[in-house]
Structure formats: C-alpha cells, structure tokens
C-alpha cells in the first residue's frame, strides 16, 4: 500500500491530470483564444468527434494555408508586373537622360550666345532710357523751338513764355554737367541755350516796345502777356530799362492829355463837368483828388496783375522812371497837400474825414506795393492819410465830450434820448462808409474797434449818469432800452462781436435787476410775499410755523385768497417799467423769469405748510393748489 502511494505521483497520467487541474485558464490567454476558435467548428462532443479532432484541425490549417498561398500568388504576380514596369521605366529614363545629355551638349553654345544677347539688350535698353531722360532734360522739344522762333514781328503767345522758362531751366541744369565728366556736352548745350535766350529776349524786347507804344488810351487794358513780358525782361536790365522808358513816354503823354482834359473840358459832352469848376466843394474836391490819384496810379504801375516784380525791381523802377513819375508828382505835391489840408481843416464832418482817410490809405498802400514804401508818392499820401485820420478821431472825441458835458434826462417813456439816437446815427454813417471802402480787412478790423470804443464807451457813461436819479426799476428799464439801441446798430456790421458780447453782459445785469423788482412787486401784491417774509425770518427756529404771527391759519387763508385773484389775472400785476421795454423778446424774458421766481417761492411756502412739523390744520383748505398747478396757470 505504501509502495502504491509512492508510485502514484510518478504516474504520467496522474501528472497530466494534475497539470490540467492546476491550470488557470483565466491567466492563459492563448489557451482561451484556442478554445474559442475550437468552439466554432467543434459542435458535437462525441467519441467520434474527439477522435477526429486532430484531423479536423489539420485539415482546417491546411485549408487556411492554401488560401494564403493563393492570395500570395496573386500578390507575387502583381509585384512581378510592377517590377517589369519599373524596369521598363528605368530603361526609358536612362534613354531620356542620354538623349538630354546629348541635346545639352549640342545646345550649350546656343544658350551661351542667347544669354550674352539678353545682357546686351538690357544694357542697350538702359542706355536708351538714360539717353531719353538726358534729351528730355537738356533739349527743347520741336514745338518749344517753334514757339521761340515764331515770326519775327508776329504776336506773342503763352507758349513762348513757357518755352523761354524751359530754356532758362536747361541753361541752369548745364551747371550740373560741368561738375561731371560731361563738360564738353554741358558747354555745347549751354552755348546752344544761350543763343536761344539771346534771340528770344531780342524778340520779346521788340514786341514789348510795340505793345508799350500802343498804350495811349485813357485807361489802357494792360494784357497779362505784357505783364509776363515785363517780368521776363527783368533778367536783361538794359532791355528792361529801355522798355520802361518806352512805357513811361507813352503813358506820360496819354495821362497828361487826359488830366488836362479832365481839368478844363470835363467828360464827353461836358459830363462830368471840369474838375476846376468843383474845386470849392469839399466832397467834389475829394472826388477830383481820387481821380487824380487813379491817374497817378496808372502812371506808376507796371503791368497790372503781375506778381513777378520784387522789391528791388520796384525800387529800380521808381528811380529809373523819376522823369515820368516821381518828378511830375513832386511838382504838384504841394498843391495836393494844400487841397487836402483845406478839406480837413474846414471841418466837413466825421464821415467825410473818415472817407477821405480811407481813400488816402487805399491809394497809399496800393502804390506802395507797386513801387516802393519809401517813395515820395507813398510817403506823401500816407502822411495825408495820417492827418485825415487824426482829425477824424478828434471829431469823434469832441462829440463824445459834448455828450458828457450836457447830460440829457431820460424821457418819461424811458426810451433812448435824442443825443443817443444822434450818436448812433453818426456811428452808423461812419461804419457804412467803412464797409464801402476798399482797404484791407485787417486794417478795417482795427479801425472798427477803435471807432466803436470812441463812441460807445462815453455813450454808456452818459446813460449811466442820466439814469442816476431814477429808482432801480426805472434805471434798469432805461439802461436796457439804451443798450438795445446800441446793439441793434452794431449788429449789422462785421467785427463787432466783441462789443456786442460786452453789451449783452450789461443787458443781462440790468435784466436781473428788473426781474427781481418784478418778482418782488408780484409777491408783495399777491399776499405771498408777507408769508414768505415770516417764513424766511423764522425758518431756523424750532417752532411750528402755525404758531407764528402772520403764519396762522387766517393769515394764510387771506394770503391765498389774494394769490388766487392774481392767478385769475396775472397781467394785472405787471410793472409799468416792463411794458416800456423796447422789444417783445425782452418783455417776455422778464415776465417768464419773474414768474419762475414766484412759482419757486410758492413751492417753498407750500412745502413748509404741508410739512407736519409746522402743525398747520387742514392744509388742503389752506393751500388748495399744488405748486404744479400754479406753474401751469402762470406759464
């Protein structure tokens, strides 16, 4: 028995059984997969099936291998086809490579020649571009050459001056070439342009002389071409001087003739009459002087519309033409000064003095811009302008002094006084005369400020002194009417915004006074004023308002009854001073703002009466109307 037990572990069958029993299928994935595969075709667990299991597995394995073999045979066939195609492609590529190498060897020389030709073409194109640019900058176009040549005595055209400017530009640009390696070309081009310039200036000089000789009319029409021609001739001082001499001779003859005719014969048919017949009339004397200045201006100007004369050339023009300009003026300078002084000293009035000053200033500025600020013509005219302007402001100052010497009392209707109306009429005439003048805007603006200050400031002082004995309401209404009269006069003229703004500030101050008086007038007569006075005097005391004298129930009822009468007829409590204001806008402003004060006062009293701490009994009876209702009734 013992031997049997010892030999049992060595029994192969036992070992296999033990091994099978000890196997853990959960951990043997391969066994599990094999059993799963076996379960797909081992359905009948019989003795025959178990005996044929190995054979079935081998048959199944053989079938799978046959399937693989068939699939791989197809793959091999396809790979063989691919290999054959690749070998064919390799053969073709080798053949093409050899052919390309042969073609490259054959065309390398052609490619080299083509590259050289392309480079040469680029260099030629660059040279062509440079040559075109050089020709464009340093050569005249055919039409420009033709414009310079033209006909010897033919008319001048705009393109001539454009071509002449082009020649000057090329001549100056040649200096750049002289600083490079192109000195020869620069010298040749400069010489050619110099020839063009000389022939062009000769043609321009002859044409300008002919044009100047034709300026024999009373008021010649100086063309823009002649102006440009005179400006161009300044580069040739000798030719320019001869041309100016020709111009001066022609104009001197024409102007002297016209001036003598104006003095002795007058206009066509005797209208206008000769100047000397009106020499006793200051207005006409000033007009005749204007005519003289206009003629003198024609003598001295050189090319209307031209802006090419610089200051040095104007000075040269003045000096070189003293014979026909400055010398003639010096001969009549004293007479002109005497005539202007006669008009100024005769006290023709501020408007006449101001008009004369504007005329003199215009001609002095205009002539000075054309010849020279230091010339005898300009200095004399500006000196006379200063004299006329001084006498004008003296006249304004005298008028202002008279306003303050005799203060005129305000009329009963609180309208502006007659002296104020006369002063505004004078200011209106002066400013209208100024608007009609032709002096520059900046000078006009400075004159406006000074003129208005000379008259308006003393006028406001006179109004204040005139209203000094009036009560507050009358004074406010009177000053508002006076200032409104001044504002209305200034409003239609330019450069018066500053003064109008200052007057508006003063008007607002007087409006505040009148509004305060109107509101106090309404409050005092509507009964609310007495209640508000008591409230203001005791508002900081810790007592109920109903316990105060004047704020008891009966006093409040009486005041509200009077206030209801005012609400039923608000126009009954408008002060007479408010109705005397000159404009409806100001009257409406005073009324509206005074009503706003009354509504605000009523609102304050209403809130105090309905406040429980003031212990007013039956507040709805005491103040039956809310502040909003009162505002709606009054507005």
């Amino acid at each position: 028995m013992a031997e049997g037990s010892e030999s049992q572990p060595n029994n192969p069958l036992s070992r296999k059984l033990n091994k099978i029993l000890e196997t853990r299928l959960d951990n043997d994935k391969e066994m599990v997969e094999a059993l799963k595969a076996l379960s797909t075709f081992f359905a009948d667990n019989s003795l025959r099936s178990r005996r044929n299991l190995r054979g079935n597995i081998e048959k199944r394995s053989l079938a799978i291998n046959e399937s693989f073999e068939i699939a791989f045979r197809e793959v091999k066939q396809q790979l063989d086809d691919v290999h054959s195609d690749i070998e064919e492609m390799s053969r073709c590529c080798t053949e093409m490579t050899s052919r390309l190498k042969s073609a490259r060897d054959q065309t390398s020389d052609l490619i080299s020649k083509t590259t050289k030709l392309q480079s040469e073409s680029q260099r030629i194109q660059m040279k062509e571009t440079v040559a075109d640019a050089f020709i464009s900058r340093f050569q005249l176009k055919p039409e420009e050459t033709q414009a310079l040549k033209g006909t010897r005595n033919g008319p001048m055209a705009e393109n001539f001056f454009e071509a002449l400017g082009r020649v000057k530009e090329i001549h100056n640009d040649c200096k750049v070439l002289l600083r490079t390696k192109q000195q020869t070309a620069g010298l040749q081009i400069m010489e050619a342009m110099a020839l063009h310039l000389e022939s062009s200036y000769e043609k321009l000089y002859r044409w300008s002389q002919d044009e100047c000789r034709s300026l024999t009319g009373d008021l010649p029409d100086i063309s823009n071409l002649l102006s440009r021609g005179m400006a161009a001739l300044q580069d040739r001082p000798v030719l320019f001087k001869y041309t100016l001499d020709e111009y001066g001779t022609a104009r001197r003859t024409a102007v002297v003739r016209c001036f003598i005719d104006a003095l002795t014969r007058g206009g066509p048919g005797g209208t206008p009459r000769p100047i000397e017949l009106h020499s006793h009339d200051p207005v006409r004397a000033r007009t005749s002087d204007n005519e003289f200045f206009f003629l003198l201006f024609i003598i001295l100007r050189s090319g209307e519309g031209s802006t090419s004369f610089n200051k040095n050339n104007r000075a040269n023009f003045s000096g070189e033409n003293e014979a026909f300009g400055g010398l003639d003026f010096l001969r009549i300078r004293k007479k002109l000064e005497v005539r202007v002084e006669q008009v100024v000293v005769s006290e023709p009035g501020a408007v006449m003095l101001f008009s004369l000053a504007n005329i003199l200033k215009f001609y002095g500025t205009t002539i000075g811009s054309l010849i020279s600020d230091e010339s005898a013509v300009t200095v004399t005219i500006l000196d006379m302008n200063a004299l006329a302007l001084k006498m004008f402001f003296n006249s304004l100052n005298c008028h202002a002094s008279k306003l303050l010497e005799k203060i005129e009392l305000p009329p009963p209707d609180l309208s502006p006084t007659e002296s104020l109306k006369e002063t505004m009429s004078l200011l209106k005439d002066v400013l209208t005369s100024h608007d009609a003048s032709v002096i520059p805007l900046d000078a006009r603006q400075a004159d406006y400020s000074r003129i208005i200050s000379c008259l308006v400031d003393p006028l406001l002082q006179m109004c204040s002194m005139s209203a000094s004995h009036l009560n507050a309401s009358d004074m406010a209404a009177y000053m508002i009417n006076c200032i409104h009269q001044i504002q209305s006069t200034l409003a239609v003229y330019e450069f018066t915004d500053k003064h109008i703004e200052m007057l508006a500030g003063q008007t607002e101050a007087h409006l505040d006074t009148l509004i305060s008086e109107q509101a106090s007038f309404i409050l005092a007569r509507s009964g609310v004023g007495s209640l508000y006075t008591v409230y203001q005097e005791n508002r900081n005391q810790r007592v109920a308002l109903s316990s105060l004298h004047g704020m008891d129930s009966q006093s409040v009822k009486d005041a509200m009854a009077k206030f209801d009468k005012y609400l039923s007829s608000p126009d009954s409590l408008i002060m007479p001073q408010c109705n005397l204001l000159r404009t409806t806008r100001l009257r409406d402003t005073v009324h509206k703002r005074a009503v706003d004060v009354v509504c605000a006062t009523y609102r304050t009293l209403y809130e105090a009466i309905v406040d429980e701490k003031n212990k007013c009994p039956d507040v709805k009876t005491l103040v039956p109307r809310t502040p909003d209702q009162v505002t709606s009734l009054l507005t």
Side-chain angles (χ1 to χ4, degrees), residues 316-382:
N316 294 336
F317 170 69
S318 178
E320 293 168 355
N321 295 274
E322 187 72 21
F324 76 89
L327 184 59
D328 288 346
F329 182 79
L330 291 174
R331 292 173 182 172
I332 60 174
R333 172 181 177 181
K334 190 63 180 177
K335 180 181 178 182
L336 183 63
E337 289 179 342
V338 170
R339 295 189 67 179
V340 173
E341 289 176 357
Q342 288 176 348
V343 175
V344 170
V345 176
S346 65
E347 298 182 0
V351 178
M352 181 61 63
L353 288 171
F354 192 54
S355 299
L356 179 59
N358 287 336
I359 291 291
L360 293 170
K361 187 171 186 178
F362 166 72
Y363 283 111
T365 303
T366 304
I367 296 175
S369 66
L370 292 175
I371 48 176
S372 173
D373 296 337
E374 293 80 17
S375 65
V377 180
T378 307
V379 171
T380 300
I381 295 175
L382 292 181

Side-chain angles (χ1 to χ4, degrees), residues 86-369:
I86 291 175
E87 286 183 346
E88 183 65 22
M89 291 175 63
S90 176
R91 186 185 62 78
C92 291
C93 289
T94 303
E95 183 180 355
M96 290 176 64
T97 302
S98 62
R99 292 175 62 184
L100 287 173
K101 184 177 180 182
S102 176
R104 184 177 60 185
D105 293 340
Q106 293 175 2
T107 59
S108 59
D109 184 53
L110 178 60
I111 293 174
S112 177
K113 291 181 180 180
T114 302
T115 304
K116 290 180 181 180
L117 290 175
Q118 289 177 347
S119 301
E120 186 67 21
S121 175
Q122 291 177 354
R123 286 194 297 271
I124 292 174
Q125 289 178 357
M126 185 177 297
K127 289 180 180 180
E128 182 182 4
T129 302
V130 173
D132 291 342
F134 183 86
I135 292 174
S136 175
R137 182 168 181 179
F138 292 100
Q139 292 294 327
L140 293 174
K141 297 178 181 179
E143 58 269 20
E144 293 174 339
T145 304
Q146 182 62 33
L148 290 176
K149 292 180 179 180
T151 57
R152 183 172 182 83
N153 297 320
M156 197 67 64
E158 291 284 349
N159 57 1
F160 173 85
F161 296 101
E162 296 174 0
L164 182 61
R166 178 71 179 135
V167 172
K168 293 179 182 179
E169 181 183 356
I170 294 174
H171 192 272
N172 290 330
D173 290 344
C174 287
K175 298 176 183 179
V176 179
L177 294 179
L178 297 179
R179 293 195 294 267
T180 64
K181 296 180 181 181
Q182 305 296 330
Q183 290 91 348
T184 303
L187 290 173
Q188 293 176 353
I189 295 174
M190 185 176 289
E191 182 179 357
M193 293 301 109
L195 293 176
H196 281 301
L197 285 175
E198 292 305 322
S199 61
S200 299
Y201 278 122
E202 181 181 357
K203 178 183 177 182
L204 180 61
Y205 166 66
R206 295 183 183 280
W207 175 82
S208 299
Q209 275 196 324
D210 293 339
E211 288 292 313
C212 290
R213 291 191 187 103
S214 65
L215 299 176
T216 58
D218 295 350
L219 295 175
D221 184 13
I222 300 178
S223 64
N224 186 51
L225 289 178
L226 180 57
S227 300
R228 297 186 65 178
M230 298 289 283
L233 282 176
Q234 292 179 82
D235 294 337
R236 295 294 186 270
V238 176
L239 299 180
F240 182 62
K241 180 180 182 302
Y242 289 157
T243 305
L244 286 181
D245 290 342
E246 194 68 39
Y247 173 79
T249 300
R251 294 308 307 143
R252 178 175 58 194
T253 302
V255 171
V256 169
R257 185 187 69 251
C258 293
F259 188 65
I260 292 174
D261 290 345
L263 283 174
T264 59
R265 298 174 56 186
T271 305
R273 302 178 66 186
I275 295 175
E276 288 298 331
L277 295 181
H278 300 275
S279 59
H280 64 283
D281 185 0
V283 178
R284 183 57 196 175
R286 178 175 64 85
T287 306
S288 64
D289 290 337
N290 295 347
E291 295 170 354
F292 170 76
F293 283 131
F294 183 70
L295 295 175
L296 184 63
F297 169 68
I298 295 176
I299 295 174
L300 294 175
R301 71 180 180 179
S302 56
E304 182 176 354
S306 174
T307 58
S308 300
F309 288 94
N310 55 40
K311 190 171 184 179
N312 294 331
N313 288 327
R314 290 200 299 267
N316 294 336
F317 170 69
S318 178
E320 293 168 355
N321 295 274
E322 187 72 21
F324 76 89
L327 184 59
D328 288 346
F329 182 79
L330 291 174
R331 292 173 182 172
I332 60 174
R333 172 181 177 181
K334 190 63 180 177
K335 180 181 178 182
L336 183 63
E337 289 179 342
V338 170
R339 295 189 67 179
V340 173
E341 289 176 357
Q342 288 176 348
V343 175
V344 170
V345 176
S346 65
E347 298 182 0
V351 178
M352 181 61 63
L353 288 171
F354 192 54
S355 299
L356 179 59
N358 287 336
I359 291 291
L360 293 170
K361 187 171 186 178
F362 166 72
Y363 283 111
T365 303
T366 304
I367 296 175
S369 66

